[in-house]
Amino acid sequence: MVYCYLPLPHTSQLPIHVNGHFWLSDSRRDLQHSTTHQLKDWNRELVQQTVLRAYVELLIHCKKFFVQGKAFTEWFYGLFPQPDIKGVLESFRLSEILFCYLFDNNTSILTSLNNPGSWLSFNGPDKGLFYSPLSYEPKRKVLVKLGLFLTDAPPELLRSLEASLASQKQSGTFSGRISPAFLRDHLCSIAQSMDDYQDVIKANIMPLLKFVVKDIQLGPQPIPNWKSVLQGVPLMLTNNDQLRLMCMVYDYRHSELLPTCQGYFIHKCIANDVDIYSILQNLGVIKMLADNPKFVADNLALPKPSNHKVLSLHEVDKKLLLLFWWYLSDCQSEDAFQSFSSFAAIPTTSDHLYQISRRKQILFAKSERIQLINKFKFPVLCLEKVFGKNVDYINFQIFFADPDNPNEILHLLLFYKENLPQLEHIDENEVYDLINFLNGSEELQESGSQIWLRELPLFYLLDKRISRIDYFGTVYGLYKNSIPFDGLADLTDMKKGLGFILIPMFCEKFLTKAGVDIVENHPHAVLQLYRVLICHFHRECFTPKTIFPHIERLRELYYQAGPSKRTRSSWNVIVTTLSSLKFIRLRDQSIAAPKDLYDPNCEIFKAFLKDSDFPPESWDSSQWLDFLEFLGLNRTVTSQLWLSFAKSLISTIESGNEDFSISKNKSLLLLANLAEQINQSDLSPDFLRRASCFAIVPCLHKRSPNNVLEHILPGFKMPIIGWNTVKGSVIQLEDHDWNLSCLSKPVLPDEFYFSPKLKNFNSIFEALGLCRVTPILAAENLRILSKILSECKELPNRKNNLKILHELRDLFLAHYTCINSCQEKDEHELKELLETSNCLYILDRHCSFQLLQGSHTVMKHADTMFSCVEVVPDYCKSLITFLKIIGSSDDLTIHHCCIFLKTLWHNTRHGRERLSPNDQEDARGAYYLFIELARLFEEPDGSIQQDLYEGNLPLLSEKETLELATTLLLNDAPWYKERLQRTSKSNCYKFIKTPPKDSFANPSLPEWLGVRLLSSVIRETSHPKMLNEVNLCNIERVAAVEGSSQCCPYLNHLKIVLKSGYFLDGLLRLIKYETKSPPSDELVEHLKSKLNSAKLVCVRLITTVLLDENNKEISNSLDSSSPCLIAPAEDGLSCTIYIAPHERDSSTTTDRTELLYRLFVGLNQQFGHVVHDSHIFMEML
């Protein structure tokens, strides 16, 4: 605020209050603004002289409070006037005059970045420079290191200074802002002492370069020369990391090509900046190396071999070679290639390096049109060895020999004629293509002969070589349609200069130009010629390879002009020689004559003879074989050959060194050939007898029924039984025999089939010892068939399943019918074969089938039927003999019950799962029927005995679950069970479901079932507290005190029962009833002595505990309600019988029947359970 002792309504540009003796208006509320008064300049002079100088002193005084840091800078420069404050009087605008004053007086008022704590001025020798860099420009610290004095005053201060100088018309006097031109001048000034600054410049070369060229404009106006802008500026960094004054250098692109000249290339970091690189290139600082091949040639490190020496590619640095060719790809000029003509730098496919001067002697690429050119192995450019794959270098094509230019190829042939390879096995068409191609050259278009062509390797010799012919005196050109030329070249006397050339098609003109005599042979004398030449076929110059074309030509003559009156004599000479001449090269490279070979089209020959016994594949056509037969080839199988083949097969089978399928195929061929000989010729009985004794018949079953099996079992394969003789093999003679396709014996194949109507059928049948289909054979077949079909879990998803099932039923019915027709003497053997076989085929309503044992079927449908038992199907009910053989019964038997219970037991995971309600009802019925039927047997039989022995007989438990009989208990002592239910071991015992009552109304079980009695597992013993005198009953205690013989009436009654013979007699009757025989005398005496030695005691209370099978006390089994207890003596020979018939509060209680029953159970325990069913004793009571 502005004050004149009192505040005025004005502000100044200063951040402080100003109080002065100002000239005021008459109201003393404003400054005087008069322009005519003599004091009109008072206020202005007061401000510009007094206030200004006072404020400058104030700023100088504030420098004393300097502290390094941003806080001081912001505070200090905040003291400078702010020219943009609104409402400031004209006389109080101190900003312009303040900055001009500081500028003119060189006042040190600016903080320094170079030396914190020192001060710089706006002007003068200690002038401070203002610099506000962008992100890509050099940092302030960089310029400080380059010797520039920078201030950290805010840029606003600079703008205020420039505005003040402009207002005072002094704008051209200030140069305190760092510009690109300023920096260029400064860098030029320090160039003399560049060593002191080069580290800083090199580290910040890119920001410095970007800044110094910032003011250079690239546009339509003329671009200045680099010397006028950058000359003397030390900002040129070369690729060898050397800092130099700005100068002309080469572009970085090919710098690696000249590793020793890196000082001539711009640094990579500058080249990678597109903007800087573009400016320097436009200014002319950067030159293109592609425009200076001479400089490259003067400094290139590639080899320069003398005398056109060819180098190996491995002798040269491949990386340098790659860089060189990259450089050439940029040049691509004839002058460039001329500059490098002495360098070995052309890589070829043969890994060689050729001099660039020889580029026209090197193919640019392999010929795609003429393959024969490639076989001459001319040097071929292969830049892939330098560049790698997938590099297109087509631009180099004009500098090399063009493979599609006949003139250049002709020149190559002339140049390399002494060094070309000897080409062999050349195709005639390749020669034609080459000559036809060369005919387009300018030299060959000239008329007249071209004798120099004989020096070129362009002529196709008879041995399929391509060669030059200038060393032959006389050369003949032969057509291909004359006699074969194989071997003729070897017959030619080379010393006399005689040669033969095969004339490629349409090349007569070319051969004529070369001076070749073309000769045509006439076919009418070929046969006579061979009659003369045939004697030479034994000479060494003729091999099977050279003879074969002549034999082929003779074969053609054989069909064109076969033996006749005119030619017979010639053919006789030829056949006599060729039949024994070894000219046929076999597969094992051996050589054979026709008379030693066999017809390869005869399968039996192919199976038994070696490959060396047949002509090779090139000879196996019908025409060849007919011609070889004319020369002596064997084509028929004799009896002796047949027998030798059979012996060979036997030896192979016994050694086991051959695959079964191969041996089987040989066997079929032998049998088919035997059948063919039987039907076509009369064979001697001796041959038939010998042939039938060879074990060469495999187990072949491919008959119509097998097709049904294959439909049901995909991938079905018949069982392999082995090998048998023809003698004993099955032959199917009847029309229905196809349904009995034998699975157990070898069946003769169809090829061996012959009709019984043949006149010699019986004698041949007897001589060969063949078998017919019988019931025994059908039974063996049926058992195997059933076993195979047991693998069928479900039918395939086919539309014709029902048809297949009916075919399968017919297949089984054919076996059943055959077996049903057996004789009585065969029934026992048939029963042993089929009794345990699942051979009865049953078709259900759901288009499926099952196979059951006969023992799982019944003839009649019972009221109670089990799921595992089926009724015999109607289609075979009439086959009584067959059903009896397989064990089918009329009604349900104990075996059916056992099968059903075992099936349920397996379905419930051996009793671990509960039965469904329906299964519970069925299991209950089967269990009751099983018990009733079991009572009819004194001991088990058959499969039930086996199940008992193996412990696999399940029965129904009290909880209606299936458990094994050996794990169940029969509840013959209900009081034990009641006490067990109160203990922790109640779950350890499983009780059988109460059986149905027998004819005596007893729920008894046959002992052979293996179900144990509860009383045999649990026994009762006295508690120690019970054995004392106090516990005797009152009557006994009184009698003991009084010495009276009178005792308890219950005790008297019990003595009468035991001592009389009635109890013993009843016990013996029970034993006889259960065992179906009277007890032995020893047992009777044993029981009698046990009863007589028993001691009787009547007590008030019997306290007992239960013991398990291991004589361990069962916890929580203490009980005081037992009416009787039999305690054995320590010697085990006698026992004490305790009874407690009295209630504690009365002299009458216990039911005598219950007392006697418990007494019997206890005694039965002491006797060793001589009676199994205790319930019978209840009925006796």
Side-chain angles (χ1 to χ4, degrees), residues 334 467 550 562 637 732 927 948 1034:
E334 185 64 32
S467 175
H550 300 282
V637 180
Q732 298 178 331
Y927 168 69
L948 287 172
N1034 294 332

Coordinates of all heavy atoms in Angstrom, one line a residue, residues 334 467 550 562 637 732 927 948 1034:
E334 N 28.4 -50.8 -62.8 CA 29.6 -51.5 -63.5 C 30.9 -50.9 -63.0 O 31.9 -51.6 -62.8 CB 29.5 -51.3 -65.0 CG 30.5 -52.1 -65.8 CD 30.5 -53.6 -65.6 OE1 29.3 -54.1 -65.4 OE2 31.5 -54.2 -65.6
S467 N 30.4 -86.6 -74.0 CA 31.8 -86.4 -74.2 C 32.1 -85.6 -75.4 O 31.3 -85.4 -76.3 CB 32.5 -87.8 -74.2 OG 33.9 -87.6 -74.4
H550 N 20.0 -106.7 -75.4 CA 20.0 -107.7 -76.6 C 19.0 -108.8 -76.4 O 18.4 -109.2 -77.3 CB 21.4 -108.2 -76.7 CG 22.5 -107.1 -77.0 ND1 22.6 -106.5 -78.2 CD2 23.4 -106.6 -76.1 CE1 23.6 -105.6 -78.1 NE2 24.1 -105.6 -76.8
G562 N 8.9 -115.5 -85.0 CA 9.1 -116.7 -84.2 C 9.8 -117.8 -85.0 O 10.0 -117.6 -86.2
V637 N 4.7 -127.7 -61.0 CA 5.0 -128.4 -59.7 C 4.9 -129.9 -59.9 O 3.8 -130.4 -60.1 CB 4.1 -127.8 -58.6 CG1 4.5 -128.5 -57.3 CG2 4.2 -126.3 -58.5
Q732 N -15.6 -130.9 -44.4 CA -17.0 -130.7 -44.3 C -17.7 -131.1 -45.6 O -17.5 -130.4 -46.6 CB -17.3 -129.3 -43.9 CG -16.7 -128.9 -42.5 CD -16.9 -127.4 -42.2 OE1 -17.0 -126.6 -43.0 NE2 -17.0 -127.2 -40.9
Y927 N -33.6 -118.2 0.6 CA -33.1 -118.6 1.8 C -33.9 -119.7 2.5 O -33.4 -120.8 2.9 CB -32.9 -117.5 2.8 CG -32.5 -117.8 4.2 CD1 -31.3 -118.4 4.5 CD2 -33.5 -117.7 5.2 CE1 -31.0 -118.7 5.8 CE2 -33.2 -118.0 6.5 CZ -31.9 -118.5 6.8 OH -31.7 -118.9 8.1
L948 N -18.6 -124.5 0.5 CA -18.4 -124.6 2.0 C -16.9 -124.7 2.3 O -16.4 -124.1 3.2 CB -19.2 -125.8 2.5 CG -20.7 -125.7 2.6 CD1 -21.4 -127.0 3.0 CD2 -21.1 -124.6 3.6
N1034 N -31.8 -119.9 51.6 CA -32.2 -120.0 53.1 C -32.4 -121.4 53.5 O -32.0 -121.8 54.6 CB -33.4 -119.1 53.3 CG -33.1 -117.6 53.1 OD1 -32.0 -117.2 53.2 ND2 -34.1 -116.9 52.7

